[in-house]
Amino acid sequence: MSIRSVIDVVNQMQAAGVMESYAIGGAVGATFYLEPVATLDVDIFVSLRPAPGSLIVNPTSLFDYLKDRGGAMSGEYVMISGWPVQFLPPRTPLVEEALKQAVTRDVEGTPARVLSAEHLAAIALQTGRAKDKARLLQFLEADGFPMDRFHAIIERHGLAPAWEKFHRQFLDHTP
Amino acid sequence: MTFNPQKILASKRALRRGLATLPLAEKLRMLDRLRERQVAIRGPLADKPATNPRAQPQP
């Protein structure tokens, strides 16, 4: 069981042209910036190319590639090196931007594409589940990203009201 | 050892900062170990995340 192996496989998939680009998100992505927090799966955002002569993006080639190499499908997950991995297309302009602006980090000589801290924080704000709010608080407490870039992102993607609400709930200590 | 809440909170923050600044590879290995423990606790039938916890069969 190794996330390093998952990163190796995803790098190979990108090199083989199965996907245009990828970036690790979710709790594993957050671990690139924060303390590790237990998680059961790996979220990988992917940008796929349409098949030649088609305008429609089809994820079949991605899953075929993995199946041919022994990847077991389990619901919406693919088991890679003992980890359930979920490949996610960007479904909002925010995630699309986050994928385009992802950064490459070095993991003992292996390149790993990961969403930027400010985009992970903005996505947590947008998604808005309890665990996402907890993650956003972790980012804020760790002072782990440039606030000006975070604010630019939330303005650009219409998240200012959500941020104001979050601020009132968790950061505004006045009675 | 202290029962001073301020010192306890400061110590927790320092521990978390220390963990956050570990080398990436070490932090990823910690995630591997944390998941192994979770799987061990939850049992083999739960060796995958639930997309909808309410849809899980009742014990």
Side-chain angles (χ1 to χ4, degrees), chain A residues 83-122:
Chain A
W83 276 92
V85 179
Q86 193 160 35
F87 291 95
L88 304 157
R91 292 195 185 278
T92 67
L94 169 60
V95 178
E96 210 165 301
E97 177 188 285
L99 183 53
K100 280 183 189 152
Q101 295 181 13
V103 295
T104 301
R105 303 291 297 271
D106 180 90
V107 184
E108 288 181 339
T110 299
R113 293 258 306 160
V114 61
L115 299 184
S116 72
E118 54 271 27
H119 276 108
L120 282 166

Side-chain angles (χ1 to χ4, degrees), chain B residues 1-51:
Chain B
M1 187 72 188
T2 175
F3 290 113
N4 180 329
Q6 295 303 324
K7 282 190 177 175
I8 292 169
L9 287 175
S11 160
K12 282 179 184 290
R13 276 195 294 270
L15 175 65
R16 290 176 56 190
R17 287 221 166 95
L19 288 170
T21 54
L22 287 173
L24 278 179
E26 176 56 26
K27 291 201 286 183
L28 295 181
R29 279 191 287 272
M30 288 173 77
L31 284 187
D32 292 332
R33 291 197 296 272
L34 285 167
R35 181 167 186 276
E36 280 167 11
R37 286 182 198 175
Q38 279 194 321
V39 169
I41 291 166
R42 288 173 172 231
L45 289 177
D47 190 9
K48 61 179 183 180
T51 49

